[in-house]
Amino acid sequence: MPVHADPAGAAGFRKVSRVVLLDPADRILLLHGFEPATPETDWWFTPGGGLEGAETREEAALRELAEETGITEAELGPVLWRRHCAFPFDGRLWEQDEWYFLARTGQTRTEMTGLTELERRSVTGARWWTVDELLATRETVYPRRLAELLATLLAEGPPGAPVVLATEIDRPHA
């Protein structure tokens, strides 16, 4: 499958809403996942997923957050960032147009009871991270600049318009 490059319309890209969920202490919630065929290939990522039917990006963000974390008490804010990415996962190439929404919650207990079959095979848990922990970690985190982006968000507040992040393309490992 070819990797499309269409920054304006994202033709061929799966539409995805992601959530930058912050708790009252400004910690961010990340999920821990891995490649089903090679569990040693793991990473951390924000909750979120593809739009279903005619739902809006905002509706998808809140639905995915509830399904993947059990958190239903979140105040959805503006879109912070947008990015295109492509990566191999579970035997296919995923090509995504991702919008990252800011959200705040006081509900910090997670419950992963709404995962899809694929998510049950590839997501191992969730963790609240401080910006300092993200800046110091050697673990893989997506998007790759998340620590820097979060530090800027906490220092300066949400941008006036969504920041377009560099396209990230991961190639299959040989």
Side-chain angles (χ1 to χ4, degrees):
M1 179 184 307
V3 175
H4 302 282
D6 182 10
F13 281 80
R14 175 178 178 240
K15 292 181 180 179
V16 170
S17 291
R18 298 209 160 276
V19 181
V20 176
L21 185 65
L22 302 179
D23 73 359
D26 285 336
R27 297 180 305 166
I28 186 172
L29 182 66
L30 297 180
L31 303 179
H32 185 244
F34 63 92
E35 170 60 50
T38 54
E40 65 278 5
T41 305
D42 66 334
W43 56 85
W44 293 90
F45 62 101
T46 58
L51 276 64
E52 294 181 355
E55 75 182 345
T56 66
R57 295 265 189 171
E58 293 83 0
E59 290 166 340
L62 291 172
R63 176 187 50 76
E64 286 285 340
L65 183 64
E67 289 175 0
E68 295 178 348
T69 70
I71 294 176
T72 56
E73 299 169 19
E75 182 180 331
L76 198 62
V79 177
L80 301 170
W81 316 308
R82 291 183 57 187
R83 81 167 180 159
H84 288 160
C85 62
F87 53 92
F89 179 70
D90 196 40
R92 67 174 269 220
L93 181 65
W94 297 74
E95 300 175 54
Q96 300 188 160
D97 172 31
E98 299 182 335
W99 291 19
Y100 288 78
F101 288 87
L102 174 62
R104 293 232 173 231
T105 188
Q107 182 184 347
T108 57
R109 183 174 164 269
T110 60
E111 200 172 290
M112 303 177 105
T113 57
L115 298 179
T116 66
E117 183 273 332
L118 177 57
E119 289 166 339
R120 285 191 301 275
R121 290 191 296 118
S122 63
V123 177
T124 60
R127 175 182 164 195
W128 291 95
W129 294 70
T130 66
V131 70
D132 289 338
E133 290 169 334
L134 278 177
L135 288 167
T137 191
R138 292 183 176 210
E139 295 189 63
T140 302
V141 177
Y142 292 109
R144 290 188 179 103
R145 293 180 42 228
L146 184 60
E148 171 192 334
L149 293 164
L150 182 59
T152 300
L153 172 66
L154 295 177
E156 301 174 8
V163 174
V164 178
L165 306 179
T167 297
E168 292 185 23
I169 300 175
D170 287 342
R171 302 284 181 209
H173 303 288

